[in-house]
Amino acid sequence: MSTNVKFQPILLGTDFNCYGMARSFYAAYGIKSIAYGDTQLAPTRYTKLVDVRLHKGFNSNPGFMKIMNQVAEHLDPNTKYLLLSCGDGYTELISQHLDELKKHFVCPYVDRQLFKALGTKETFYQAADKYGLPYPKTRIITKEEVESKGAENIKLPFGFPVALKPSNSIEWLDIHFEGRKKAYVLDTREQFNELLPKIYKAGYKSDFICQDFIPGDDSNMRVINAYVDMNHHVRMICLGHPLLEDPAPAAVGNYMAILPEKNQQIYDQIVKFLEAVNYVGFADFDLKYDRRDGQFKVFEINLRQGRSSFYCTLNGYNLAKYVTDDVIFHLPKKDTDYADGNMLWLGLPKKLFYKYAKDNKYKQRAIKLIEAGQWGTTAFDKNDSLRQRLLMHYAFHLMKADYEKYFVQR
């Protein structure tokens, strides 16, 4: 149980999530992370906090294990290598090759069996049923059903608007057609009838999830990030209250502003679920408050830390420290940290937040935090290079066009 252990974080992916985790490791330990990926993405392009190593085909089999085996051949025997995924595809690859990877790397991840039980929205809802997690009214739609019956003949047990999203978000990453979005809110039956055939003609094979749309704007959302240790004990759980989401088609549902919030009822429900299923590692949940019955309903679990999870570190619950204390230093922890905080997280320019976030008491609290200087973002670190910060300022500038083109206030 010594903290004098030499270790090296290895992150899979080069995106915003990767940069947030790298910042957390640098803040806690002064360590520069190593990241492996298939392509170079903007957040880590010019960073001094991450050593990025690119390999074409790394994000799928067999390229993934080919590279990981090459990496393993050159590891320092006196260093522990902590392997962390920053995307759904990499999480699945780790679960597929967990036993092999554990010979060389420290991998705090669920095995293949639990990944299959939680890794698609469809299987997750079966687990939610079993353990009493409320979720929206749901209708599973299959490829065979659309092709044999026609979308117009599919009966729904609820009216419009509906939410429509792929059950298999990993497969969906490789599907391309005009009008493709990360997820959809459809206001009419005509939109539903037109969209479903397009989806399956584009090559998607898995099921689609159609759900009763929970009314209300983005400020009805909640997000949970948790860390569960190797003994299946939740060491930390952190609730965030999103106030605004990304409206761009490829990024729908990505949070752009998160208030810290504490809700013990939500904490107790999620902790009970994670410990009951014998979870390991980071977990990220999306929920929405349904004013019709007063319940927070869970949409999905991501078997990794969330894209915007730096809001936890920002509020004093450093993600890197929880996983390192557990799997590198083996420090015991009996109690669960139920997070609270007073720092607003932003993933967009302040002026866009002022303009597009719905005016309510939560927005007013956020504005007070901004005025008091109690806010931060994943994208900018004072320890990083000027080139990195300039590129991120440019990326933030481009968001204005997406909001002007795609934003719909609900």
Side-chain angles (χ1 to χ4, degrees):
M1 295 190 295
S2 169
T3 57
N4 296 320
V5 177
K6 187 179 178 186
F7 78 99
Q8 173 63 58
I10 294 182
L11 308 177
L12 303 183
T14 65
D15 65 352
F16 208 57
N17 194 338
C18 171
Y19 189 73
M21 284 307 299
R23 280 192 69 188
S24 296
F25 278 108
Y26 195 85
Y29 307 105
I31 293 177
K32 183 176 182 177
S33 298
I34 297 171
Y36 289 88
D38 174 75
T39 52
Q40 178 65 73
L41 298 176
T44 56
R45 182 177 292 276
Y46 299 123
T47 180
K48 294 195 297 184
L49 308 185
V50 188
D51 177 5
V52 177
R53 302 175 184 182
L54 300 176
H55 300 276
K56 208 67 190 163
F58 178 70
N59 59 354
S60 60
N61 287 316
F64 175 73
M65 279 310 295
K66 178 184 174 185
I67 298 302
M68 293 309 297
N69 285 328
Q70 290 174 9
V71 172
E73 289 174 9
H74 300 95
L75 298 181
D76 176 0
N78 299 312
T79 301
K80 288 188 175 183
Y81 293 86
L82 175 55
L83 191 65
L84 294 176
S85 164
C86 297
D88 293 329
Y90 289 120
T91 306
E92 183 174 31
L93 287 165
I94 290 174
S95 78
Q96 286 174 355
H97 303 285
L98 190 61
D99 290 341
E100 197 174 347
L101 289 167
K102 278 186 172 179
K103 294 174 185 175
H104 310 287
F105 306 94
V106 180
C107 306
Y109 284 90
V110 302
D111 60 21
R112 186 67 181 147
Q113 184 179 353
L114 190 52
F115 183 92
K116 285 183 175 179
L118 301 176
T120 69
K121 295 177 181 67
E122 191 173 348
T123 54
F124 168 63
Y125 293 143
Q126 293 170 10
D129 269 333
K130 183 176 178 180
Y131 295 104
L133 275 186
Y135 60 93
K137 291 177 185 174
T138 298
R139 167 76 153 83
I140 307 297
I141 296 171
T142 67
K143 178 175 189 268
E144 293 72 27
E145 194 175 14
V146 173
E147 291 180 344
S148 63
K149 283 186 181 179
E152 64 278 5
N153 294 313
I154 292 174
K155 292 182 179 177
L156 301 177
F158 37 76
F160 286 80
V162 299
L164 197 66
K165 46 200 164 186
S167 176
N168 190 332
S169 55
I170 297 169
E171 183 189 345
W172 188 245
L173 293 171
D174 295 323
I175 302 301
H176 304 284
F177 62 94
E178 189 176 347
R180 179 200 179 277
K181 295 183 180 182
K182 188 178 172 186
Y184 300 86
V185 176
L186 305 179
D187 292 304
T188 67
R189 182 80 207 200
E190 289 71 28
Q191 291 173 320
F192 178 90
N193 294 347
E194 184 183 338
L195 179 61
L196 276 172
K198 268 190 190 178
I199 285 167
Y200 288 109
K201 282 177 185 171
Y204 182 72
K205 294 182 174 65
S206 298
D207 295 346
F208 242 75
I209 306 289
C210 185
Q211 289 181 326
D212 176 33
F213 178 75
I214 297 174
D217 65 281
D218 295 345
S219 69
N220 290 279
M221 295 297 296
R222 299 295 188 275
V223 59
I224 285 273
N225 275 267
Y227 179 73
V228 189
D229 68 23
M230 302 307 281
N231 296 315
H232 314 297
H233 166 65
V234 176
R235 292 199 172 203
M236 184 279 295
I237 184 165
C238 187
L239 176 65
H241 184 165
L243 303 184
L244 193 62
E245 296 183 10
D246 194 327
V252 166
N254 288 348
Y255 301 126
M256 304 303 270
I258 299 176
L259 268 177
E261 191 168 289
K262 188 172 184 178
N263 183 315
Q264 197 61 42
Q265 183 183 353
I266 296 176
Y267 281 160
D268 291 344
Q269 275 188 320
I270 299 295
V271 168
K272 181 182 175 184
F273 175 81
L274 289 169
E275 295 186 348
V277 300
N278 284 339
Y279 196 84
V280 172
F282 288 111
D284 169 47
F285 294 82
D286 296 312
L287 310 89
K288 190 173 184 181
Y289 179 70
D290 191 339
R291 61 176 182 246
R292 298 169 299 184
D293 59 12
Q295 287 188 309
F296 286 94
K297 293 178 179 171
V298 181
F299 288 151
E300 65 181 336
I301 178 176
N302 294 304
L303 312 186
R304 54 168 172 78
Q305 71 286 354
R307 178 185 178 277
S308 53
S309 60
F310 191 76
Y311 78 86
C312 305
T313 297
L314 187 66
N315 277 285
Y317 300 87
N318 189 308
L319 297 175
K321 194 168 186 312
Y322 284 98
V323 64
T324 304
D325 281 354
D326 177 31
V327 298
I328 301 296
F329 301 148
H330 302 297
L331 298 176
K333 182 170 173 49
K334 291 182 181 178
D335 299 327
T336 299
D337 287 344
Y338 296 103
D340 202 354
N342 58 4
M343 295 286 288
L344 173 72
W345 177 88
L346 291 177
L348 80 175
K350 285 181 284 185
K351 61 185 178 182
L352 291 182
F353 172 73
Y354 288 133
K355 181 173 181 180
Y356 290 101
K358 191 159 188 175
D359 195 18
N360 53 35
K361 63 182 180 181
Y362 307 115
K363 182 177 182 178
Q364 293 311 309
R365 182 187 163 209
I367 289 171
K368 286 179 182 175
L369 290 176
I370 291 172
E371 290 172 347
Q374 293 173 237
W375 69 280
T377 181
T378 307
F380 305 101
D381 189 303
K382 66 180 186 298
N383 297 297
D384 217 334
S385 69
L386 176 61
R387 287 182 85 190
Q388 191 275 340
R389 293 198 298 275
L390 287 173
L391 179 59
M392 287 297 95
H393 278 297
Y394 178 64
F396 270 41
H397 168 73
L398 294 177
M399 293 176 190
K400 181 183 177 186
D402 284 338
Y403 275 89
E404 288 174 348
K405 184 173 181 180
Y406 298 112
F407 184 77
V408 176
Q409 184 67 268
R410 296 220 169 243

